[in-house]
Amino acid sequence: MPQGDIFRMSIKYVKGVGEARARLLAKLGIYTVNDALNFFPRDYQDRSILKKINELQDGEECSVKATLVSDVTESKPRRNLSIIKTLVSDGTAFLSMTWFNQGYIKNYLKNGTEYVFFGKVKRNGMRLEMHNPVIETAEQSGKYTGRILPVYPLTKGLTQTHLRTVIENSLKLAENKFEEILPQNLREKYNLSQIGFSYEEIHFPQSLHHMEQARRRLVFEELLTLQLCLLKSKGISKEQKGNRFEPVDMSPLLNKLTFKLTSAQKKVFEEICNDMQSDRKMNRLIQGDVGSGKTIVAVMAIYMAAKNGYQSAFMVPTEILAEQHYRSVKQLFEDLGISVRLLTGSTKKKEKEEIKALAREGKIDVLIGTHAILEDDTEFYKLGLVITDEQHRFGVRQRAKLSVKGENPDLLVMTATPIPRTLTLTLYGDLDVSIIDELPPERKPIDTYAVNESYRERVYKFIRKNVAEGRQAYIVCPLVEDSGQIEAESAEGLAERIRDNELKGLRVGLIHGKMKSSEKDKVMRKFVDGQIDVLVSTTVIEVGVNVPNANLMVIENAERFGLSQLHQLRGRVGRGKYKSYCILFNQSKSDIARQRMEIMTSINNGFVISEKDLELRGPGDVFGVRQHGLPELKIANLYRDMDILKDVQKAVKHIIDNNLLLNDEYMLLNKKLDDIIKEKFNEISLN
Ligand code: ADP
Ligand code: MG
């Protein structure tokens, strides 16, 4: 879409709008003609099917062309009710027409005249009838009947008819002014219709086939630009050269493990090995369900880098997790001659400086930490490998930032939020994907129960019973709003209450996002050491933390969490040899909440859950995309548009590999990408 004047014109100047209606349109995000054109129908009503009356079926919606064969009668059985009736025929049969409280209709209808009616057919005894049909004279028909009409999302005060008129008038203004940004050969190759046609037909399709064609093109363009923008803003071009590592004998490390690797872990490490031993830069995403053992795979890659004389950076989203990784990695590497240090926001200034100096001189092999690693003055002597754990917490920018901190270090990204495949392709189109699709043996499924308030007492009893057997429990409270205040209070309130009442006598700890890192660490360490029986927390414990003795996870207001998040939280238990449980307090009576709880109680596989999550949330609320700081999708639906996405993937690869964006025919597309990056990608969040 070019930024021609017409497209940027305020919507209030479009025929039929004006100030008042413009305010309503603003509520839908429509400020300009361009916004109106990109406000896509959520559905269509097919009024194009014209049927003979004798073919009509009870319950169907369609149009008929018929002549009035009786006078119009009006009755007023009650004060607020007027009923208008007439009879029509098309020569095949008769059809009764009834309108309720639409008195003006009677002035419009004339005995002997032919009209087109659209409505739902109802059987009434022997006779068929339509209630409140839409009506046009046969001569003028084509606007409200006899064609496919768009159905838009609405806001109070605006009707479908208003919105249709606004968009129709916007289309008229834009006619012949659309700018084609996709080169012809690309459109031909992927069967993409022209831009003008696409906008016309997505709003007012001649046929459903045309609509599908239009939609395909618009979805393709949306996903293509998103993906190219991602690649451009990351500065990633073709395959990059990276370091070539020599094979390493892994047995000293493997001998220190108390378990045997699963075959999935072995397979994924092999893939990593191949990447590292080639001179191509590794760009690999490891997906694995919670508890599938991603960390050790990362540690093996670090070991390999270190034995090749390269440093590694291991970045995680929270200090607690950094601490935990640090402790376990350090313990593994202690007598293998590999030095490990921890750098987080709460590292003391003096120590920070010392660590940074050592990293610069190459005297640290592995630096584990939070965002602090990203600070500009952290430099490495010879950085060969960058690992980010629980990637979904990092923005795209950060990934880019870290990978420039060395001479093209290999990149390993790990995520425990299983991402639906479509989303993986969209967000990480530039990454190769490895999946650890197997849990370590002897891991028992976590029994999950969704309960309501009436179970509260029993749940506390159950907690007491488990604690009496030496186990520990988590109770997670939702982050009510994006406000630290509320978050702290609700976890705090609960902790106070159960400490003095329901769970009196047990050691109840509290941890939440408003606490200082040092305090959080103190509490967490106590929990790890078994000095706390019940840990009340917000979602700060969501990722990665490992306390094998905890076997019970209670989640308050579970209806407020996303399914994937619930699965993450549940993954905090079931990490040891004890039978584990997850109890979801569901305070909602809605169907959706019930369905979601049902999914949680019946499915233990994170990948399946994330697919369901995407399916349930449906179009418009795309899982995780906003969380990743990406622009919202207007028309593409990552759940349904997998096939288009695959084509987009191919096109993107072709464009990048052949450096096509610099060609003349891609000039307009390239310019649009720059515009979008400037406008939207600057807001990428750093949470
Ligand atoms: P995640 O994939 O969720 O990050 P972790 O790497 O934290 O999982 O591993 C979870 C737990 O499983 C850790 O205690 C780890 O030592 C253990 N573990 C990892 N691999 C295996 C294995 N092959 N057999 C048994 N336990 C394992
Ligand atoms: Mg992990």
Side-chain angles (χ1 to χ4, degrees), residues 23 48 71 76 81 129 162 175 180 187 225 230 243-244 352 379 392 466 471 487 501 515 533 554-555 575 580 632 673:
R23 274 194 294 277
S48 67
D71 285 339
K76 291 196 169 163
L81 181 64
E129 57 181 32
H162 291 152
E175 200 178 349
E180 182 57 76
R187 281 194 290 114
T225 46
L230 274 172
N243 308 306
R244 180 194 288 278
K352 241 185 210 168
E379 287 164 28
H392 63 294
N466 277 279
R471 303 287 81 74
E487 171 193 354
N501 299 288
M515 289 161 59
D533 301 313
V554 178
I555 302 176
R575 306 197 136 228
S580 295
E632 211 175 324
L673 299 178

Side-chain angles (χ1 to χ4, degrees), residues 212-318:
E212 286 297 342
Q213 286 245 286
R215 188 171 181 280
R216 176 179 166 81
R217 185 243 150 78
L218 294 167
V219 169
F220 191 101
E221 182 179 322
E222 180 167 51
L223 294 174
L224 182 79
T225 46
L226 172 65
Q227 203 129 88
L228 287 173
C229 281
L230 274 172
L231 292 176
K232 271 196 94 159
S233 65
K234 278 185 275 189
I236 289 167
S237 54
K238 283 196 264 187
E239 258 181 24
Q240 291 164 305
K241 285 258 179 270
N243 308 306
R244 180 194 288 278
F245 297 84
E246 296 302 324
V248 164
D249 171 21
M250 302 298 293
S251 52
L253 174 64
L254 296 180
N255 288 340
K256 295 197 73 178
L257 300 181
T258 53
F259 50 78
K260 284 220 318 254
L261 296 179
T262 63
S263 46
Q265 284 170 319
K266 282 186 198 151
K267 177 197 73 189
V268 169
F269 184 65
E270 221 164 84
E271 288 165 350
I272 293 172
C273 250
N274 286 339
D275 286 352
M276 289 178 72
Q277 287 170 22
S278 87
D279 61 359
R280 218 168 49 98
K281 175 173 148 59
M282 172 165 72
N283 265 308
R284 188 166 287 279
L285 174 72
I286 301 184
Q287 284 196 44
D289 209 343
V290 267
S292 61
K294 293 180 290 294
T295 317
I296 186 62
V297 174
V299 168
M300 288 164 74
I302 292 173
Y303 183 76
M304 182 160 158
K307 288 295 160 194
N308 270 275
Y310 283 95
Q311 294 169 291
S312 301
F314 195 161
M315 190 161 83
V316 298
T318 64

Side-chain angles (χ1 to χ4, degrees), residues 294-295 325 389-390 544:
K294 293 180 290 294
T295 317
H325 276 354
D389 196 9
E390 315 294 350

